[in-house]
Amino acid sequence: MTDTTSPSAAASSPSAEGPTPSPARVPARAWAALAALSLGLFMIVFDVSIVAVAVPAMARALDADLTSVVWVTSAYLLAYVVPMLFTSRLGDRYGPKRVFVAGLVVFTAASLGSGLSGTVGMLIAARTVQGFGAALLTPQTLTLITHLFPGGERGRAMGVLGGVSALAGVTGPLLGGILVDGLGWQGIFYVNVVVGAAALALSLRVIPDVRPGRAHRFDLVGIVLSGSGLFLVVFGVQNGRTHDWGPLIGPFTVPQTIAAGVFLLAAFLITQARAGSGRDREPLLPLAVFADRGFAAGTAVTVVLGFAMTGMLLPLIVHLQDALGLSPTAAGLVTAPMALVSGVLAPLTGRLSDRVGGRPLLAAGLLVMALGLALIAVRMAPGVPAVQLVPGLLLTGAGMGLVLVPVNSVAMGTVPAEQRGAASGVFFTGRQLGSVLGSAATGVLLQVRISVRVADEARTAAGHLPARHRPGFLASLRDAAESGQTGGAPPRLLPGGLPARLLPQAQDLASQALHAGLARAAADTLLMTAAVLLVGLPAAFAVRTATRSRTARDSHSRTAKDSRSRTTKDPRSRTTKD
């Protein structure tokens, strides 16, 4: 028996871009449920942004090398991305509220375990469990919103989530520094316990138990193929740079690992197509969802968006901290306006998407975001103060604010109710895969461009030294760039045999060359990220816009339905019939 609460019934409208109904039609309980969902999402986004701040403190406290500490994040991402197709279908079978609550419990308990970890191995294990909790929780947010809010109000609800996500992104790096300084690295996980407990208590009270209309069976073959394929692809991409894209596990190289993952994913798609054509098998991924033009276009845009939002962070951090010498807190303050603008715009664009549709907002957002990144890249030059990056950061934040909410509404607005769980899983998996690819691609490109740009700057700087000292000077800076020791020019990086009278000059020249090379390499990488955003424009323009005739037809249909409901003599007879 399906849930007969009014939020679910209101969500039955298939159009995300239909007429805007009166806000009074959305019960107060739906907005209270949105608050609970927002707390859960805040915790996930906050955790992702705050952990990076604590990496140096973790390495020192746990006596671990950088590679081991990097796995604190990598293990989390693997456990987050890989099972999401499966966890999204759990909501279809057992109800999204139950799975959302289970995700909160797992994530909160794993956060406590992370804070109590005494070794890096224990921390990595706890973070893996934490990632699985996030995978349980995340897909259910969109599924519940599409159940709770009708099409005309869904954009406003998505806008609230977008604002919460931006707020978590702003407060994460800043609050992370305060927590690490005051409580140690464990403090970043203990704060999740507090937020998680509050979200759990509120969720149990206000989120309706929306139940699926029929029992869904698990596609075990699909689960194994999709999980294995995603694991190999994500694992290979994450470790490609660390292993120099060579041998990874035994005789298997990074490219071979990624290729094996792609092969398994191709086999997964074939099995899903066959399962969808049969009567006795239910696919894990119903390919029919991609026949929905809005969902296909929205998913493509969210992959590009995930790539850009993650890919732009590394070059920004390298420029602000290494090239300009800012502290992590100061760098966070410089980038804060970008997230603040995004957070302010998100609720506004949520309402606007209900009126004008998704196409103009998605296209404008991608263009504005690309323009902002390009403007930042132009100002990434030696000696240019960080404040001159703010106009580009504001544009980038405005572009993010225009896209983040409408892309959710476009993708999920017209998906049939019985496919929302699977569609939500595909949507979030696409964004996380885009994030992983963005992180890997920008890391590789940035290192390549650092080597090239530092070598160019070193040749120019070497011209100010006597000819016999130039080869050693060039070699020392080349080694510094290739080894990643690019935060300055300590004397040990300079060649031996330099006369004492030349040492101060050589140090100054090396520092200038390194900082200039870093700035220009970061700019090159940021321009690549901007170009990727433009790749998503065709998908944005593929979104259908709402027509006046369709709007009028939907309005007339809803008005007639409401009229029939008001003239029903015994309202209880309709509920019994349902």
Side-chain angles (χ1 to χ4, degrees):
M1 186 96 178
T2 58
D3 180 70
T4 57
T5 60
S6 55
S8 296
S12 62
S13 173
S15 173
E17 298 186 29
T20 304
S22 172
R25 298 185 62 186
V26 179
R29 187 183 182 188
W31 294 107
L34 179 63
L37 297 175
S38 298
L39 269 180
L41 180 66
F42 180 92
M43 186 172 60
I44 298 297
V45 177
F46 183 81
D47 181 82
V48 172
S49 62
I50 202 175
V51 168
V53 178
V55 166
M58 289 178 189
R60 290 191 299 268
L62 299 175
D63 193 22
D65 56 36
L66 185 59
T67 300
S68 298
V69 175
V70 166
W71 266 103
V72 172
T73 299
S74 297
Y76 175 85
L77 287 175
L78 277 171
Y80 190 5
V81 177
V82 169
M84 200 174 293
L85 286 177
F86 165 62
T87 57
S88 66
R89 296 313 297 268
L90 289 175
D92 286 339
R93 181 163 183 172
Y94 299 109
K97 174 185 177 176
R98 296 184 177 191
V99 181
F100 182 84
V101 168
L104 280 176
V105 172
V106 172
F107 189 93
T108 304
S111 296
L112 179 61
S114 297
L116 296 175
S117 297
T119 66
V120 70
M122 292 173 61
L123 181 57
I124 291 172
R127 286 283 284 168
T128 302
V129 178
Q130 198 179 26
F132 181 71
L136 286 169
L137 183 157
T138 303
Q140 316 310 323
T141 56
L142 286 186
T143 304
L144 283 166
I145 284 179
T146 53
H147 277 291
L148 290 167
F149 293 89
E153 291 296 316
R154 199 170 296 148
R156 294 178 63 194
M158 296 289 189
V160 171
L161 283 183
V164 168
S165 179
L167 178 63
V170 173
T171 57
L174 297 178
L175 186 57
I178 297 173
L179 289 172
V180 171
D181 290 338
L183 301 175
W185 63 267
Q186 297 93 335
I188 66 172
F189 296 111
Y190 292 150
V191 72
N192 285 336
V193 177
V194 177
V195 177
L200 181 61
L202 186 60
S203 298
L204 290 172
R205 183 175 180 84
V206 301
I207 296 179
D209 190 15
V210 179
R211 301 300 301 275
R214 62 188 180 88
H216 291 265
R217 291 169 294 175
F218 292 128
D219 178 7
L220 296 180
V221 174
I223 292 172
V224 172
L225 288 177
S226 64
S228 301
L230 284 172
F231 176 83
L232 291 176
V233 170
V234 175
F235 184 81
V237 170
Q238 283 185 328
N239 289 276
R241 184 183 174 192
T242 304
H243 292 80
D244 199 23
W245 301 94
L248 180 59
I249 302 176
F252 297 102
T253 65
V254 172
Q256 289 172 341
T257 302
I258 296 174
V262 172
F263 175 80
L264 290 176
L265 289 177
F268 166 68
L269 292 178
I270 293 173
T271 62
Q272 297 307 285
R274 292 178 176 176
S277 62
R279 295 183 178 178
D280 57 340
R281 295 181 60 192
E282 183 176 359
L284 178 67
L285 170 61
L287 298 180
V289 297
F290 290 102
D292 186 304
R293 189 170 172 177
F295 177 78
T299 302
V301 170
T302 204
V303 171
V304 171
L305 186 63
F307 185 104
M309 290 177 64
T310 304
M312 69 182 180
L313 293 179
L314 182 59
L316 273 175
I317 291 172
V318 166
H319 178 70
L320 293 172
Q321 295 190 23
D322 291 340
L324 298 185
L326 299 182
S327 67
T329 301
L333 289 173
V334 171
T335 58
M338 174 176 63
L340 284 174
V341 170
S342 175
V344 170
L345 279 180
L348 301 178
T349 56
R351 295 185 181 185
L352 190 59
S353 67
D354 290 331
R355 299 179 181 179
V356 304
R359 178 193 291 179
L361 296 175
L362 294 184
L366 293 177
L367 282 171
V368 171
M369 193 175 174
L371 179 62
L373 292 179
L375 185 58
I376 296 171
V378 169
R379 304 309 301 162
M380 280 181 166
V384 176
V387 69
Q388 294 196 24
L389 302 180
V390 172
L393 290 168
L394 292 175
L395 272 179
T396 303
M400 290 167 56
L402 288 172
V403 177
L404 276 171
V405 174
V407 73
N408 296 339
S409 299
V410 164
M412 298 297 296
T414 55
V415 174
E418 67 273 11
Q419 295 178 347
R420 285 174 187 159
S424 180
V426 174
F427 181 79
F428 278 112
T429 299
R431 179 169 293 183
Q432 295 303 321
L433 277 177
S435 298
V436 171
L437 294 175
S439 177
T442 52
V444 171
L445 180 62
L446 182 61
Q447 188 59 52
V448 170
R449 296 310 298 168
I450 285 176
S451 298
V452 173
R453 287 296 195 177
V454 169
D456 291 342
E457 297 294 333
R459 281 191 290 270
T460 302
H464 298 280
L465 295 174
R468 65 179 180 276
H469 297 299
R470 293 174 188 171
F473 180 84
L474 291 171
S476 65
L477 289 185
R478 182 183 63 248
D479 292 342
E482 292 178 353
S483 65
Q485 298 175 351
T486 52
R492 62 187 177 84
L493 292 181
L494 296 177
L498 278 173
R501 62 182 177 82
L502 289 179
L503 191 58
Q505 180 188 10
Q507 284 183 281
D508 186 55
L509 290 171
S511 179
Q512 292 179 20
L514 283 172
H515 292 165
L518 286 170
R520 292 195 165 94
D524 294 342
T525 308
L526 214 55
L527 287 174
M528 181 274 293
T529 307
V532 171
L533 284 168
L534 300 180
V535 174
L537 279 176
F541 284 116
V543 175
R544 288 191 178 96
T545 56
T547 62
R548 292 186 178 180
S549 60
R550 173 186 167 188
T551 300
R553 183 171 62 251
D554 290 346
S555 179
H556 176 75
S557 176
R558 184 175 285 110
T559 301
K561 182 178 179 180
D562 292 343
S563 177
R564 288 194 300 269
S565 298
R566 287 193 299 268
T567 57
T568 301
K569 294 182 178 179
D570 184 5
R572 289 173 298 177
S573 63
R574 183 170 180 262
T575 303
T576 305
K577 182 179 179 180
D578 292 340

